[in-house]
Amino acid sequence: MISDESERLAGQLWRRALTLLIFVIALSPFLDTHMIDTLFAQEPTEISAMSDNAKLEKLKDELTPEQYYVCFEEGTEAAFTGEYWNTKTPGSYHCVACDAKLFRSDDKYDSGSGWPSFTQPADGGEVGYSEDKSLYMVRTEVHCSGCGAHLGHVFDDGPEPTGKRYCVNSASLNLIPDEDSQDTEDEE
C-alpha cells in the first residue's frame, strides 16, 4: 500500500513537471528553439549516431545553419516562420539533404499548427519512424529514411481519411513544383 506521504510527493512531482511543460509551451513563441531543445536535450537517435562524419561535414557546408540544425541536430523551427507552412503550390516535397521524395502537396492541409502538415507520405515516400521521448512525453518522430534527416513528428489528430498529422519542419523540405502548375500565391 502506498503511504499518504508517497502519494503527496508523487502528486507534487507530477504538478511540477506539468507546470514546467505548460510554461515552456506557453513561452515557446518567444524562446530560441535551440534553448528549448537544450532544456529538453535527448540522446541522439540511432539514425543520427550512424551517420558518416564526412557526409555530415559535407552537408554542413551545403545546408543553411537552420537546415542542418533541424535535420541533423533534431531541432525545431519556430511555428509560422518556415518557408512552406502556408504554401499552396502543387508539387512534391523532397528531403533538403538527399532529395528523397517525402510528401505531396495533395496531402498537405492547414492544421493551424504553424508547420507544414500532411495526412500521409507520398506514394513510395522515404519516411521512417522512431520513438521520441523528449519533452516528458512519447511521440513518433519522422525522418528521411534515405539519409536520416529529422523531419518532425506524426500525430493521431489529423483529418480523414488517415487521421494522421505529419507535422514537418519547412527547413527539412525542398518543394519541387509540378511542371504543369503555375505558382499559387500563399495566404497572408
Side-chain angles (χ1 to χ4, degrees), residues 157-185:
D157 60 1
E160 294 299 328
T162 65
K164 301 289 185 190
R165 173 173 55 101
Y166 287 79
C167 189
V168 181
N169 291 285
S170 288
S172 66
L173 300 173
N174 182 31
L175 173 60
I176 310 295
D178 289 343
E179 288 185 23
D180 59 343
S181 72
Q182 296 179 359
D183 286 347
T184 304
E185 287 189 32

Side-chain angles (χ1 to χ4, degrees), residues 5 21 37 72 106 110-111 129 161 181:
E5 180 65 16
L21 181 60
D37 290 341
F72 297 102
D106 300 339
D110 182 5
S111 68
Y129 305 87
S181 72

Side-chain angles (χ1 to χ4, degrees), residues 16-27 40 135-137:
R16 285 183 182 172
L18 187 59
T19 300
L20 177 61
L21 181 60
I22 291 169
F23 175 76
V24 170
I25 291 170
L27 290 181
F40 297 104
L135 297 176
Y136 301 107
M137 63 182 105

Side-chain angles (χ1 to χ4, degrees), residues 36-188:
I36 294 170
D37 290 341
T38 301
L39 283 171
F40 297 104
Q42 64 185 36
E43 294 298 315
T45 63
E46 290 179 357
I47 291 137
S48 59
M50 293 185 324
S51 298
D52 176 33
N53 287 337
K55 183 178 177 182
L56 287 177
E57 283 304 314
K58 184 175 188 256
L59 287 169
K60 200 170 199 173
D61 292 337
E62 293 174 358
L63 301 175
T64 68
E66 182 178 35
Q67 288 171 328
Y68 187 86
Y69 168 67
V70 167
C71 293
F72 297 102
E73 295 177 1
E74 299 173 356
T76 303
E77 66 196 8
F80 303 101
T81 64
E83 181 177 1
Y84 302 123
W85 77 270
N86 202 25
T87 299
K88 307 292 185 213
T89 304
S92 297
Y93 290 86
H94 292 240
C95 176
V96 73
C98 73
D99 200 38
K101 186 175 177 182
L102 302 169
F103 300 98
R104 285 278 312 148
S105 59
D106 300 339
D107 300 310
K108 188 173 185 287
Y109 72 101
D110 182 5
S111 68
S113 68
W115 289 280
S117 297
F118 303 88
T119 57
Q120 62 191 357
D123 287 339
E126 296 190 40
V127 176
Y129 305 87
S130 60
E131 189 175 79
D132 177 357
K133 293 183 179 179
S134 65
L135 297 176
Y136 301 107
M137 63 182 105
V138 178
R139 299 176 292 170
T140 302
E141 176 193 359
V142 289
H143 56 265
C144 173
S145 57
C147 68
H150 170 75
L151 304 174
H153 294 86
V154 61
F155 302 96
D156 292 325
D157 60 1
E160 294 299 328
T162 65
K164 301 289 185 190
R165 173 173 55 101
Y166 287 79
C167 189
V168 181
N169 291 285
S170 288
S172 66
L173 300 173
N174 182 31
L175 173 60
I176 310 295
D178 289 343
E179 288 185 23
D180 59 343
S181 72
Q182 296 179 359
D183 286 347
T184 304
E185 287 189 32
D186 298 340
E187 290 182 12
E188 294 180 16

